[in-house]
Amino acid sequence: MDDTLLKISDLEIVYQTDLETVRAVNRISLEIKKGRTLGLVGETGAGKTTTCLAILRLLPDRTGKVLNGEILFKGENLLTMKESKLRKEISGEEISMIFQDPMTSLNPVMTVGSQIYEALKYHNENKQSHAELEKRVGEVLELVGIPARRAKEYPHQFSGGMKQRVVIAMALACEPELLIADEPTTALDVTIQAQVLAMMQDLQDRFGSAILLITHDLGVVAQMCDDAMVMYAGEIVESGTAEDIYESEQHHPYTVGLFGSIPDLDKEVPRLTPIDGLMPDPTALPKGCYFADRCPYAEDICREKHPEPVHLSDTHMIMCHRFKGEEASV
């Protein structure tokens, strides 16, 4: 039995204006199994959020364009699905998204309870009474650690961490099968980050949801994720299970750079080691490896020919010329 919940194949997305074309996502593929958590890691501008917005067809109408690929959710292509079906049956009910900034995700002139109630009512089609939906609002708030009595309060009456909990409550209100979390702990202090992540894991265990987690933090991936993908300049440069990413001795140079730029409690060093340089201009990507200008191992072939994926095992993939010839016989 195939337990694949979401499958993205050869997805290519651009932002197009009269002046330029930004190549945001360049033919990426990924799969998320039921009940598992996939971490999507990379620096700002890698294309992580764009990928997630495409799943729910939330790209800007005029500029965001999907040029190629398909996004299958339980076997149905979300990109060709009727918008009315997507809104009524999928978005918010079977797939929910926790947006990056809770400050801008909540309506400042509506109480938090009414915003959760609105989502529930839209997907209930008169199956439950007003009183039952009001009760469910309180239950969802209690689920994320907010007293039900605070449902009548407005967003400005909550701290940053509590706002994030409200956004998570909205996303979980209909018990979705897939939860997309776009940097859910951004701008939160370390203590609140730990609480939010622990709460998400608890809720996943309770509902059996799959999670697509976008983050910059490799520590969060280690704590939360079953599988991980490293994204750079709109491409997946390395993917595998959490064990592949954290325990294997073979990594893409960009992944090595990410690990080198985070603190190691077992080593005493005067400074962290950042990755030199900047991501390439997405309006004029080089013909070779996109990471070549920042890579300490780059050779002539790296600047002249784009690398192909190399599968070191049936789960571990690296897109780098250095590993050519090391493909596993799977």
Side-chain angles (χ1 to χ4, degrees):
M1 179 180 175
D2 185 12
D3 60 350
T4 300
L5 190 64
L6 181 78
K7 183 176 181 180
I8 297 177
S9 304
D10 291 324
L11 185 64
E12 184 178 3
I13 302 171
V14 298
Y15 292 111
Q16 204 163 38
T17 68
D18 294 336
L19 299 176
E20 60 188 9
T21 298
V22 175
R23 293 169 58 192
V25 175
N26 302 301
R27 292 185 174 269
I28 73 164
S29 298
L30 61 84
E31 287 187 11
I32 302 178
K33 305 288 186 181
K34 293 178 181 177
R36 290 179 72 85
T37 300
L38 171 65
L40 197 55
V41 189
E43 60 193 300
T44 299
K48 307 182 300 297
T49 297
T50 295
T51 300
C52 292
L53 291 176
I55 294 171
L56 291 174
R57 286 176 29 194
L58 295 175
L59 294 170
D61 289 336
R62 296 179 182 274
T63 55
K65 294 179 172 59
V66 178
L67 299 185
N68 188 71
E70 62 179 12
I71 301 174
L72 301 180
F73 179 71
K74 297 198 292 190
E76 287 191 86
N77 192 348
L78 298 179
L79 296 178
T80 56
M81 183 181 289
K82 287 185 178 180
E83 189 170 348
S84 57
K85 181 179 179 181
L86 179 72
R87 289 192 175 196
K88 195 69 179 175
E89 300 179 18
I90 304 295
S91 181
E93 183 166 4
E94 295 197 35
I95 304 177
S96 285
M97 186 166 179
I98 301 171
F99 292 94
Q100 192 167 2
D101 185 2
M103 315 297 178
T104 57
S105 300
L106 295 170
N107 189 328
V109 299
M110 292 176 65
T111 64
V112 297
S114 61
Q115 294 183 61
I116 298 171
Y117 179 90
E118 190 176 50
L120 287 167
K121 185 179 179 182
Y122 183 76
H123 292 290
N124 265 279
E125 295 181 345
N126 300 319
K127 294 176 185 175
Q128 293 177 294
S129 66
H130 173 77
E132 289 173 320
L133 291 179
E134 288 280 6
K135 181 182 178 183
R136 176 61 181 161
V137 169
E139 290 173 352
V140 172
L141 285 173
E142 294 278 358
L143 199 63
V144 297
I146 298 175
R149 67 177 184 277
R150 299 198 66 182
K152 298 186 182 301
E153 296 181 13
Y154 291 85
H156 73 270
Q157 295 174 275
F158 291 81
S159 67
M162 295 294 269
K163 283 192 185 79
Q164 190 65 289
R165 287 170 182 262
V166 171
V167 171
I168 292 173
M170 291 175 66
L172 294 172
C174 296
E175 299 181 12
E177 292 188 55
L178 174 62
L179 179 64
I180 302 171
D182 188 358
E183 299 189 31
T185 57
T186 297
L188 301 180
D189 63 71
V190 177
T191 304
I192 301 300
Q193 280 188 34
Q195 291 176 2
V196 169
L197 292 174
M199 180 188 63
M200 287 177 60
Q201 282 185 309
D202 179 57
L203 296 173
Q204 182 183 31
D205 294 339
R206 196 174 302 187
F207 297 133
S209 303
I211 298 177
L212 174 56
L213 177 65
I214 298 175
T215 182
H216 294 117
D217 191 337
L218 285 165
V220 170
V221 174
Q223 178 184 341
M224 290 283 295
C225 299
D226 303 299
D227 307 288
M229 289 186 162
V230 180
M231 197 168 185
Y232 182 81
E235 288 187 326
I236 303 297
V237 296
E238 183 169 359
S239 65
T241 63
E243 289 78 11
D244 292 330
I245 301 300
Y246 287 91
E247 296 180 7
S248 173
E249 295 181 0
Q250 296 174 302
H251 292 296
H252 190 280
Y254 179 59
T255 308
V256 174
L258 291 179
F259 278 116
S261 61
I262 59 176
D264 186 339
L265 297 179
D266 296 325
K267 296 179 182 177
E268 186 174 339
V269 293
R271 294 179 65 87
L272 297 178
T273 307
I275 304 173
D276 292 331
L278 298 172
M279 205 177 298
D281 181 356
T283 65
L285 292 172
K287 67 177 182 179
C289 174
Y290 299 158
F291 189 62
D293 287 342
R294 305 173 73 183
C295 180
Y297 310 104
E299 300 177 359
D300 290 342
I301 189 174
C302 301
R303 295 181 174 85
E304 295 168 5
K305 183 180 178 182
H306 198 72
E308 297 291 330
V310 177
H311 295 273
L312 301 179
S313 71
D314 56 352
T315 58
H316 193 190
M317 183 280 292
I318 299 177
M319 187 181 285
C320 180
H321 289 298
R322 296 179 69 214
F323 298 95
K324 193 66 179 173
E326 297 186 26
E327 293 93 342
S329 54
V330 294

